[in-house]
Amino acid sequence: MRTLWIALSLGALLCAPLQAKTSTPTDTLKEVTSCYAQAGNNVRKQLDCLDQELRVVKAGHKETAERVITVARERDKALKTRAGWDGFVRATQSFEGYVRRECANVKLLTRGSRDAKEKAHLACQIGLYRLRTQQLENRYLLDRAY
């Protein structure tokens, strides 16, 4: 039962960002860059661009996490254990909680208008997801000797 709960949690965790606003295949970093160029100093358009960038970054994080899960399962299969997979699930859940709390705090402590606070909140999430994605790639996917 616990294993089923963990599997369902990971699935929900990896898909939750996509439930609010589905990422389309056309959301690429090139289009995000174009969005920022067109937004200029318009704060509302900048918020839309940040939201679009967050969807792209979360999709990249999800794809990287799925590749790490594959590596963990291969390792676990060879060792006849589930420790790697279970550990990664718990680490991913902890990371998601950290992002929620940290970026909520950034939004709370940011001075300025509601739009400025929302920009800080989105930028915080983008930065943390990019950092985590790079960390996963470098630690688990770059050198598969681990």
Side-chain angles (χ1 to χ4, degrees):
M1 182 70 175
R2 183 171 189 255
T3 304
L4 178 61
W5 182 85
I6 290 173
L8 292 174
S9 296
L10 181 62
L13 182 66
L14 294 176
C15 295
L18 300 176
Q19 289 173 351
K21 218 172 192 181
T22 314
S23 180
T24 62
T26 58
D27 286 343
T28 64
L29 290 178
K30 188 175 184 179
E31 289 175 346
V32 170
T33 304
S34 173
C35 180
Y36 283 120
Q38 293 172 1
N41 291 331
N42 185 326
V43 176
R44 291 288 178 195
K45 288 183 180 178
Q46 290 172 354
L47 284 170
D48 290 341
C49 296
L50 282 166
D51 191 50
Q52 181 181 6
E53 183 177 2
L54 181 59
R55 287 193 311 272
V56 170
V57 170
K58 280 186 172 183
H61 177 265
K62 179 183 178 210
E63 188 269 330
T64 300
E66 288 171 352
R67 290 184 7 229
V68 171
I69 286 173
T70 301
V71 170
R73 283 186 178 153
E74 289 172 4
R75 179 191 166 277
D76 285 352
K77 187 175 182 180
L79 298 174
K80 297 181 182 184
T81 182
R82 291 181 59 122
W85 185 81
D86 287 343
F88 183 72
V89 168
R90 283 191 297 275
T92 302
Q93 290 170 338
S94 295
F95 170 74
E96 292 287 336
Y98 170 73
V99 170
R100 263 190 317 278
R101 289 185 304 274
E102 177 66 18
C103 295
N105 193 46
V106 166
K107 185 176 182 177
L108 182 69
L109 296 177
T110 299
R111 293 181 181 208
S113 68
R114 202 175 324 163
D115 289 338
K117 290 176 180 282
E118 188 59 29
K119 283 171 68 173
H121 184 250
L122 290 169
C124 174
Q125 292 177 72
I126 290 166
L128 290 175
Y129 274 105
R130 280 193 176 153
L131 181 69
R132 176 70 172 162
T133 301
Q134 290 172 354
Q135 179 188 38
L136 292 174
E137 288 173 351
N138 290 335
R139 183 170 291 156
Y140 301 110
L141 301 176
L142 204 60
D143 181 19
R144 301 237 354 221
Y146 287 106

